[in-house]
């Protein structure tokens, strides 16, 4: 299937699914789109023999899309730049302590706790899953997904301070999660000993390199947009900037997500670039808000359609549901322990902890990282369980988030 046909089919299916959701099911945007996509995938799997043309077309379409590369190397930079571009840096600065703690200590703690819980359970059940792969699973599932989190928070009634913490954490925790995933992955693949020095080196390159790239590209873009008044050219410059971040990030092996976040925060919250031109800035905000909404719909459709090419999910439904519980427990502990140690600065109560746990959604990034795992006897289990966690996270947690907020805030 050629590239243009893939894009046409994906956009057409996304439009159809979005219409069905808005017209008949009426669930919140991203959640509804993913729900309808999953229903469509299940229907196609069940009726595959009755409708072989539809089954083969959807299967060929899904197999033609490199989900990992499409999300991590292409779509993610656009989505994160759009989100950061609208994010108010002043609010993030006010909540910097809890955001930094959750995006670092919280991710590491959640990975370790999840890994040990999963190892104990698989050992009791007689499932062959080495401890290092339990930690690897924890590393890819512990960071909250910025795309899923931000798409759900738009419709939530979470207090502003908590929304800032959750949003800021999801934008910044990819660096730690990716370092853990890469480091533990190398240990699993080569049976090498853990090297703190090597992990620290990876962290510095990925995180600080990504921030430096995003900052540099943002200032170049800001200088260029200061010299122009036409919004068409300004939009083209901003698009080329995000694409340059994706290409340069891959070549330099630095964090593309952090580079996109840095560029978005700088261009959206400083006096450089179009910020000095209110009309032009409004055009840019409207354009990137539209891009954010469209790509979110397409991404959640892609996640839903993955079921067609992952038929082995049913073999691991039990361990997947157990993993859902472990993710929630691990996140709760990794929030509560730092909160007790830093209670003066974090000011976290049981109610706010419960909301932070339930609002910590996982999404396409976890699925993409699971798909990127090299072939091994454990890949199917990790991928299936990751997918089940993502489905539960987006649909169940996303749909009940406001009820949880009302329960603990009131």
């Amino acid at each position: 299937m050629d590239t243009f046909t893939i894009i046409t089919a994906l956009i057409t299916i996304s439009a159809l699914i979005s219409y069905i959701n808005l017209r008949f099911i009426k669930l919140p945007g991203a959640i509804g789109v993913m729900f309808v996509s999953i229903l469509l995938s299940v229907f196609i799997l069940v009726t595959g023999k009755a409708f072989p043309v539809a089954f083969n077309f959807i299967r060929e379409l899904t197999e033609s899309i490199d989900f990992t590369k499409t999300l991590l190397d292409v779509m993610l930079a656009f989505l994160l730049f759009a989100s950061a571009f609208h994010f108010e840096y002043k609010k993030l600065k006010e909540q910097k302590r809890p955001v930094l703690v959750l995006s670092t200590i919280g991710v590491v703690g959640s990975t370790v706790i999840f890994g040990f819980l999963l190892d104990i359970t698989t050992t009791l059940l007689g499932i062959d899953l080495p401890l290092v792969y339990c930690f690897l699973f924890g590393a890819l599932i512990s960071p909250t997904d910025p795309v899923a989190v931000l798409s759900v928070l738009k419709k939530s009634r979470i207090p502003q301070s908590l929304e800032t913490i959750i949003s800021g954490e999801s934008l910044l925790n990819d660096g730690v999660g990716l370092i853990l995933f890469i480091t533990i992955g190398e240990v699993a693949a080569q049976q090498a000993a853990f090297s703190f020095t090597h992990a620290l080196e990876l962290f510095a390159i990925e995180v600080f390199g990504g921030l430096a790239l995003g900052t540099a590209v943002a200032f170049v873009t800001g200088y260029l947009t200061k010299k122009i008044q036409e919004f068409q050219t300004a939009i083209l410059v901003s698009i080329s900037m995000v694409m340059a971040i994706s290409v340069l990030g891959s070549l330099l092996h630095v964090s593309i997500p952090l580079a996109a976040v840095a560029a978005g925060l700088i261009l959206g919250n400083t006096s450089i670039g179009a910020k000095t031109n209110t009309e032009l800035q409004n055009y840019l905000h409207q354009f990137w808000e539209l891009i954010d909404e469209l790509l979110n719909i397409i991404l959640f459709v892609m996640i839903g359609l993955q079921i067609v090419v992952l038929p082995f999910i049913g073999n691991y439904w039990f361990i997947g549901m157990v993993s859902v519980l472990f993710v929630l427990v691990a996140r709760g502990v990794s929030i509560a322990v730092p909160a007790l140690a830093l209670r003066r600065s974090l000011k976290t109560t049981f109610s706010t902890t419960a909301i932070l746990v339930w609002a910590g959604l996982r999404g396409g990034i976890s699925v993409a990282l699971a798909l990127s795992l090299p072939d091994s006897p454990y890949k199917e289990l990790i991928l299936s369980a990751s997918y089940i966690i993502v489905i539960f996270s987006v649909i169940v947690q996303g749909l009940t988030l406001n009820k949880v907020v009302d329960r603990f805030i009131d």
Side-chain angles (χ1 to χ4, degrees):
M1 193 176 289
D2 63 87
T3 304
F4 184 73
T5 303
I6 293 173
I7 295 173
T8 302
L10 190 57
I11 291 178
T12 303
I13 293 172
S14 299
L16 178 61
I17 288 175
S18 183
Y19 176 82
I20 292 173
N21 176 55
L22 291 174
R23 182 69 176 81
F24 302 105
I25 300 179
K26 299 180 181 179
L27 290 175
I31 301 173
V33 166
M34 184 171 173
F35 180 74
V36 177
S37 301
I38 292 172
L39 289 181
L40 175 63
S41 297
V42 172
F43 176 78
I44 289 173
L45 284 174
V46 172
T47 62
K49 292 183 178 180
F51 305 99
V53 176
F55 174 80
N56 292 331
F57 177 78
I58 294 296
R59 187 178 185 87
E60 183 182 355
L61 172 64
T62 309
E63 289 178 340
S64 299
I65 301 172
D66 187 335
F67 186 88
T68 300
K69 184 175 180 59
T70 301
L71 175 56
L72 298 182
D73 294 346
V74 181
M75 296 179 68
L76 192 57
F78 283 90
L79 287 163
L80 292 183
F81 174 81
S83 298
F85 190 66
H86 297 96
F87 203 92
E88 293 186 34
Y89 176 72
K90 289 182 180 179
K91 294 180 180 179
L92 181 61
K93 190 176 181 180
E94 292 173 358
Q95 304 294 339
K96 61 182 178 181
R97 286 181 181 272
V99 168
L100 289 175
V101 169
L102 289 178
S103 59
T104 54
I105 298 173
V107 174
V108 175
S110 180
T111 298
V112 173
I113 295 168
F114 178 89
F116 278 122
L117 289 174
L118 185 62
D119 180 62
I120 294 171
T121 302
T122 52
T123 300
L124 292 175
L125 295 175
I127 298 174
D128 181 23
L129 187 66
L131 178 61
V132 67
Y133 279 92
C134 293
F135 286 138
L136 185 62
F137 187 4
L140 68 87
I141 208 66
S142 290
T144 56
D145 186 285
V147 180
V149 168
L150 295 172
S151 64
V152 170
L153 286 182
K154 292 176 184 177
K155 306 293 183 181
S156 74
R157 295 193 291 268
I158 288 182
Q160 186 62 59
S161 59
L162 284 180
E163 182 179 346
T164 301
I165 292 173
I166 297 165
S167 301
E169 174 204 1
S170 67
L171 287 171
L172 298 177
N173 62 13
D174 292 286
V176 175
L178 188 58
I179 295 307
L180 286 173
F181 180 76
I182 293 173
T183 304
I184 298 172
E186 290 180 353
V187 174
Q190 303 174 7
Q191 297 299 316
F194 174 77
S195 172
F196 181 77
T197 303
H198 179 57
L200 194 61
E201 180 183 351
L202 281 175
F203 181 84
I205 294 173
E206 286 278 346
V207 175
F208 296 111
L211 294 175
L213 173 62
T215 301
V217 174
F219 274 93
V220 171
T221 303
Y223 175 79
L224 293 175
T225 53
K226 271 186 177 181
K227 306 296 181 179
I228 56 178
Q229 299 298 322
E230 294 181 350
F231 75 92
Q232 297 95 331
T233 305
I235 287 174
L236 284 175
V237 170
S238 65
I239 292 174
S240 67
M241 179 206 66
V242 178
M243 297 176 76
I245 285 175
S246 295
V247 174
L248 293 174
S250 297
L251 292 175
L252 298 174
H253 302 289
V254 300
S255 175
I256 295 174
L258 287 178
V261 169
L265 288 174
I266 291 171
L267 290 174
N269 293 274
T270 66
S271 60
I272 71 170
K275 191 71 175 179
T276 55
N277 185 328
T278 304
E279 185 178 2
L280 186 57
Q281 186 76 354
N282 289 336
Y283 277 127
L284 285 170
H285 273 281
Q286 291 172 15
F287 171 78
W288 282 104
E289 185 176 357
L290 176 62
I291 292 296
D292 187 26
E293 295 291 343
L294 292 178
L295 289 183
N296 264 295
I297 291 173
I298 293 172
L299 173 59
F300 280 94
V301 167
M302 289 170 58
I303 295 174
L305 294 180
Q306 284 291 311
I307 288 182
V308 176
V309 294
L310 301 178
F312 49 79
I313 287 177
N315 300 333
Y316 302 102
W317 66 269
F318 178 75
I319 198 69
M321 294 307 299
V322 171
S323 297
V324 169
L325 176 62
F326 292 164
V327 166
L328 296 174
V329 171
R331 179 165 172 80
V333 175
S334 65
I335 291 174
V337 172
L340 290 174
L342 303 170
R343 54 185 176 273
R344 287 187 178 181
S345 58
L346 293 184
K347 299 178 182 179
T348 305
T349 64
F350 175 79
S351 297
T352 56
T353 299
I355 294 173
L356 287 170
V357 169
W358 203 249
L361 274 62
R362 277 69 182 178
I365 294 178
S366 295
V367 175
L369 291 177
L371 284 167
S372 72
L373 290 170
D375 291 335
S376 72
Y378 322 109
K379 181 175 180 177
E380 282 192 3
L381 186 153
I382 294 174
L383 179 55
S384 299
S386 299
Y387 204 83
I388 291 171
I389 292 171
V390 169
I391 292 174
F392 178 90
S393 181
V394 174
I395 295 179
V396 178
Q397 290 177 239
L399 286 177
T400 58
L401 179 58
N402 281 330
K403 293 183 179 179
V404 172
V405 172
D406 293 339
R407 168 69 177 83
F408 287 101
I409 293 300
D410 294 340

